Amino acid sequence: EVQLVESGGGVVQPGGSLRLSCAASGFTFDDYAMHWVRQAPGKGLEWVSLISGDGGSTYYADSVKGRFTISRDNSKNSLYLQMNSLRTEDTALYYCAKDTSDYGGNPRNYFDYWGQGTLVTVSS
Amino acid sequence: SYELTQPPSVSVSPGQTASITCSGDKLGDKYAFWYQQKPGQSPVVVIYQDTKRPSGIPERFSGSNSGNTATLTISGTQAVDEADYYCQAWDSSTYVVFGGGTKLTVL
């Protein structure tokens, strides 16, 4: 059974940093690209970032580019999101989601499994 | 940047057919995907690559995509289908794009 368990969320002041983690199990982790998707309270889904299965390719939404860094440790079956220079508009539930292939940049791909999310609140 | 537009809400009576649209420039040239999200739960894919249903998704869910519009159709809508629905596509410049979401109410 595929499981994705996020952690690391919390309350942080504007300008602060936070590192999210996603522990994966039930599939061969390095065979699949992984994503972070966020959802502000009462709002829709917003894609944040993507990393290929081998970690060699990364992509970011314009809203987080230069502030967030996605990474993975395939030896630990773990995905990460380092978030710096946080803003109030980054407040959201952050989901990790599994892609259907190792590359992630294929228009045929989609998210076949999602975690339960970890809540990040940016507030003074 | 590429954008997908959905109606904020759609209402349907039980047993009737619900149609949720998703509009984007030349969306028919891309693949469209649909996710269902119930309150307090994570999204679940209900349609992928325009028309395909994952295993476990009821046959009453179907999809189409042509021109500038993709459509999610739920035939014989049930109360259990009440949820938010999001369309999604891939764009070479924006990468993954989601529509704003449609709240389906089964009256």
Side-chain angles (χ1 to χ4, degrees), chain B residues 15-32:
Chain B
Q16 298 304 109
T17 297
S19 295
I20 299 173
T21 58
C22 174
S23 299
D25 184 47
K26 298 180 181 179
L27 180 56
D29 291 344
K30 307 177 186 297
Y31 283 111

Side-chain angles (χ1 to χ4, degrees), chain B residues 64-81:
Chain B
S64 63
N65 186 15
S66 180
N68 294 324
T69 304
T71 302
L72 173 68
T73 302
I74 310 173
S75 304
T77 308
Q78 300 179 8
V80 69
D81 300 328

Side-chain angles (χ1 to χ4, degrees), chain B residues 17-74:
Chain B
T17 297
S19 295
I20 299 173
T21 58
C22 174
S23 299
D25 184 47
K26 298 180 181 179
L27 180 56
D29 291 344
K30 307 177 186 297
Y31 283 111
F33 306 86
W34 291 92
Y35 299 87
Q36 176 195 68
Q37 186 180 34
K38 296 182 179 179
Q41 298 184 19
S42 303
V44 173
V45 61
V46 293
I47 293 291
Y48 68 97
Q49 293 171 9
D50 296 338
T51 62
K52 299 176 182 177
R53 263 181 305 104
S55 60
I57 300 302
E59 290 185 11
R60 62 180 180 274
F61 287 87
S62 63
S64 63
N65 186 15
S66 180
N68 294 324
T69 304
T71 302
L72 173 68
T73 302
I74 310 173

Side-chain angles (χ1 to χ4, degrees), chain A residues 38-80:
Chain A
R38 68 185 181 183
Q39 186 169 33
K43 302 297 185 182
L45 301 172
E46 180 188 14
W47 174 78
V48 173
S49 186
L50 150 68
I51 187 168
S52 59
D54 65 0
S57 297
T58 57
Y59 302 85
Y60 299 92
D62 287 344
S63 58
V64 306
K65 198 174 297 182
R67 300 187 299 123
F68 290 11
T69 302
I70 191 171
S71 62
R72 63 192 295 161
D73 185 337
N74 287 345
S75 69
K76 296 181 178 179
N77 287 354
S78 293
L79 173 72
Y80 306 102

